[in-house]
Amino acid sequence: MKTFRITSLLCTLIMTLSVGFKTEAQDMPSVQHGDHSEMRGHAMAHSPLTSPGNDAFGAIQEVIRQLDADSKTDWSKVNLEALRQHLVDMQNFTINVEVLSQRPIENGFEAVIRPTTKMSEASLDRVLAVHPMQMKKEAGWEMQVSRKGDVFTLKVTTGNPAEIDRLRGLGYIGIMAVGEHHQVHHWGMAKGAHPHN
């Protein structure tokens, strides 16, 4: 009987406390991703956030802002899907590869890489088919690509002795990222041009 009374008192106390206090989540207005009615107008315009949450998504947002700002934009030619697919390739050759080795060679370096997914293998095929030409055009570097099975070997050299250390320091991902041609290509793709024109 004594145990029953104590248990009964505890239950009553817990119920009283739970009714008397709201959780922080209950005090907060419920805003679901699909319901932006509470976030329109004034509140939306004054968000302190600048990140879109994803780099590829942010790149596409930037393109849309620039297209909207250009009164000469021909929306019938805009192709954001082509840009999205290219950004997938960039993600793949940046993240979804294994760099097996990097070593100095005469006037440059050699990198041996292997894709870790079938998608990244297809991405490397596409990107490395055009990147050597871009490196030659933009930096004057020679880039030779060979493939054995799923392993790609890149040899990058320069005719300028002053650039050799820089080239070796850049390595695989550096020579993929160096220069400003990516932005030019992204803008061209978004406007419907061939990505490497």
Side-chain angles (χ1 to χ4, degrees):
M1 190 73 174
K2 188 175 182 181
T3 304
F4 175 77
R5 280 190 203 141
I6 292 171
T7 304
S8 181
L9 281 170
L10 283 173
C11 286
T12 304
L13 181 62
I14 289 168
M15 287 176 66
T16 304
L17 288 172
S18 65
V19 170
F21 295 94
K22 288 184 179 179
T23 65
E24 185 178 334
Q26 288 170 319
D27 288 334
M28 296 286 287
S30 174
V31 179
Q32 296 180 1
H33 187 69
D35 179 15
H36 295 284
S37 58
E38 293 295 321
M39 298 182 67
R40 289 192 184 105
H42 185 77
M44 194 69 157
H46 291 89
S47 171
L49 305 180
T50 58
S51 172
N54 176 285
D55 288 342
F57 193 84
I60 292 168
Q61 275 193 333
E62 181 184 21
V63 166
I64 292 170
R65 282 195 300 271
Q66 295 300 325
L67 290 170
D68 281 337
D70 184 356
S71 61
K72 296 179 182 176
T73 294
D74 184 348
W75 286 97
S76 69
K77 293 181 180 176
V78 168
N79 190 348
L80 294 179
E81 177 56 20
L83 175 57
R84 187 193 71 81
Q85 290 176 13
H86 180 70
L87 294 174
V88 169
D89 282 345
M90 293 183 72
Q91 171 80 6
N92 280 330
F93 74 66
T94 301
I95 303 296
N96 298 322
V97 298
E98 182 182 4
V99 179
L100 300 175
S101 67
Q102 292 188 116
R103 67 181 184 89
I105 59 173
E106 186 176 0
N107 298 324
F109 77 94
E110 176 190 88
V112 180
I113 58 174
R114 179 178 10 202
T116 57
T117 67
K118 283 293 181 187
M119 279 185 66
S120 58
E121 183 176 345
S123 293
L124 279 172
D125 270 335
R126 282 189 289 271
V127 173
L128 293 178
V130 295
H131 205 67
M133 177 183 64
Q134 189 61 49
M135 286 293 89
K136 180 70 174 175
K137 179 181 175 182
E138 190 169 358
W141 299 334
E142 297 290 340
M143 182 177 181
Q144 296 178 337
V145 179
S146 59
R147 179 177 177 178
K148 188 173 183 180
D150 65 346
V151 175
F152 293 77
T153 300
L154 284 59
K155 293 182 179 181
V156 187
T157 57
T158 176
N160 182 352
E163 291 184 322
I164 295 173
D165 284 343
R166 178 173 182 246
L167 202 53
R168 291 172 178 168
L170 288 169
Y172 162 69
I173 195 56
I175 58 100
M176 299 302 286
V178 74
E180 300 298 327
H181 62 277
H182 293 286
Q183 289 87 340
V184 174
H185 290 171
H186 297 172
W187 185 239
M189 271 182 262
K191 294 181 80 173
H194 187 276
H196 294 97
N197 281 347

